[in-house]
Amino acid sequence: MTSPHTHAHDHPHDHSHAHGTHDTAGTSTRKVTRTVRGMPASDGDGVKMLRVLGQPQLQNLDPFLMLDAFGSDSASDYIGGFPDHPHRGFETVTYMLAGRMQHKDNQGNSGDLGPGSVQWMTAGRGLIHSEMPLQESGRMAGFQLWVNLPAKDKMCAPRYQDIPADQVPVVKGDNGSIVNVLAGTYEGATGPINGVATQPSYLDVSLPAGKDFEFAVPEDHTVFAYVFEGEVVFGDDETMVKQSHLVVLSGGTLVKAHTHDEAGRFILLAGKPFKEPIVQHGPFVMNTVEEIRQAMMDYQAGKF
Ligand code: MN
C-alpha cells in the first residue's frame, strides 16, 4: 500500500528547527526522556535475547510490561524454545522478522508464525502455551512484547489474533521509507490488530540514510521506540539513538525521527496507560498480591 500524501519526505542534511518544538498547527514533538540499552538475557529453555523492557533499568512503561528482542543465526541460541508455561492478566505480542515459530496452547489453539507475521494473544484469565521453533537452522529474529490489560479485562476469555505477513499493510514512502503497520493507522493504512484496550499503534519503520519520518500520536499515550538496525535520530533536539537501544518519547502529539549517514530501522509503540497498580510475578500480571496468589493456586489446581 502506498500513500499519495506521505509525510516521510526526503531529508536534506541541514536540520532546520526554526519552529522549535511547537509549530503553528499546535502540534508538539515528543522528546527523548529516557534511553535504555537492551540487556543480554536468557529465557524459556535457554533462548538468548536482549531484554529491552522489564529489566532493572526500566521495569515497565505503563501499559507496556516487557520487550524482548531476539535475533540469531545460530540454532543453539533459540532451539530450546519456550516449552509449556502459563500466562494470566495481560497480552503477549509476537512479531517475527525472520524464521518460523509454532505457538500452541492447552485449549486447542495453534498457530504457525513466519517472517512478517504477528500474533496478538490476549491471555486474559489464563492459558498454558508453548512457543517453539519450526526450524533447526537458519536465522530466527523478532520481538515479544507484553502489554497490560485493565483490571476489568484481566479475567476475560483468551483471544488470539494470528495475522499472516500478507495481511500487514506496508506503506512505501516516496523517500524510500518502508513502514509495516501492525496496529494503528499510518498514512491511511490501518493495521490488522483490533479490539485492544490500550488502542495501540505498532509500526516497524525502515529509513534509508538521510530521510525523515513523522507519526501523529495521542497526547495521553505512552510512546517508545526501539532501534534494532543502524541508528536513528529522534525529536527536535537531535538525540542520536544507536542499535539495541530503547527511547521513551514523552510529551507531545508528533513523533519525529530521521536518519543521518546510516540507514536505520526501529519499532514504534504507542498505547494508552491504565494508571492502575501492577503486581507482576513471572508470567502473571495482576493488580494485587492476592490476585497473584489466586493465579498461582488456580494454575496449581489445573484451572488454566
Ligand atoms: Mn508465552
Side-chain angles (χ1 to χ4, degrees):
M1 231 171 278
T2 301
S3 167
H5 50 87
T6 178
H7 285 134
H9 48 79
D10 278 0
H11 195 286
H13 282 260
D14 61 320
H15 302 296
S16 167
H17 305 297
H19 299 294
T21 55
H22 291 75
D23 69 21
T24 49
T27 60
S28 53
T29 304
R30 292 248 170 175
K31 284 190 178 65
V32 172
T33 50
R34 191 82 198 269
T35 303
V36 175
R37 189 190 179 103
M39 201 179 89
S42 171
D43 207 342
D45 187 5
V47 177
K48 292 203 175 74
M49 66 194 34
L50 289 179
R51 181 142 294 164
V52 181
L53 180 60
Q55 49 129 315
Q57 288 183 75
L58 193 58
Q59 286 288 353
N60 56 57
L61 205 52
D62 182 14
F64 304 108
L65 301 166
M66 193 192 80
L67 177 68
D68 285 341
F70 51 95
S72 177
D73 297 312
S74 168
S76 61
D77 288 343
Y78 61 74
I79 202 74
F82 301 85
D84 277 349
H85 58 277
H87 291 291
R88 174 179 280 182
F90 63 103
E91 314 193 78
T92 71
V93 183
T94 305
Y95 174 41
M96 296 297 290
L97 298 171
R100 308 191 78 82
M101 298 276 288
Q102 182 175 62
H103 289 199
K104 211 184 248 183
D105 77 8
N106 65 334
Q107 300 172 18
N109 301 297
S110 157
D112 292 356
L113 285 77
S117 69
V118 57
Q119 183 195 63
W120 198 291
M121 182 184 85
T122 305
R125 65 180 172 242
L127 47 82
I128 298 168
H129 79 161
S130 61
E131 301 148 84
M132 301 301 289
L134 281 174
Q135 65 190 38
E136 290 175 354
S137 62
R139 183 159 180 78
M140 175 80 77
F143 300 99
Q144 186 164 111
L145 174 74
W146 288 10
V147 184
N148 210 358
L149 284 168
K152 67 176 177 58
D153 294 339
K154 281 187 177 290
M155 295 298 280
C156 71
R159 178 187 178 212
Y160 285 86
Q161 297 183 68
D162 278 304
I163 312 292
D166 64 7
Q167 287 177 30
V168 176
V170 180
V171 179
K172 293 180 176 164
D174 297 337
N175 66 355
S177 65
I178 299 172
V179 179
N180 295 348
V181 186
L182 309 181
T185 299
Y186 170 76
E187 297 297 333
T190 297
I193 300 300
N194 64 56
V196 175
T198 46
Q199 298 158 33
S201 298
Y202 190 164
L203 307 180
D204 170 1
V205 181
S206 293
L207 292 179
K211 304 297 178 186
D212 263 357
F213 167 84
E214 288 187 7
F215 182 59
V217 290
E219 189 142 34
D220 65 340
H221 276 202
T222 299
V223 180
F224 76 85
Y226 176 70
V227 177
F228 61 99
E229 286 177 20
E231 52 186 37
V232 180
V233 177
F234 289 92
D236 286 327
D237 59 355
E238 293 289 307
T239 305
M240 173 64 81
V241 181
K242 304 269 190 191
Q243 188 177 332
S244 305
H245 287 77
L246 172 152
V247 283
V248 180
L249 297 163
S250 304
T253 53
L254 190 64
V255 172
K256 280 193 194 174
H258 64 265
T259 43
H260 284 174
D261 299 336
E262 270 192 52
R265 189 172 178 189
F266 59 97
I267 51 171
L268 180 67
L269 274 300
K272 194 176 167 57
F274 298 124
K275 298 175 178 154
E276 293 176 348
I278 297 170
V279 182
Q280 178 166 0
H281 183 80
F284 308 129
V285 183
M286 304 300 289
N287 301 108
T288 67
V289 171
E290 181 48 43
E291 288 166 346
I292 291 290
R293 278 200 202 100
Q294 189 64 51
M296 292 168 76
M297 284 191 292
D298 288 350
Y299 176 53
Q300 280 154 16
K303 291 183 182 171
F304 273 50

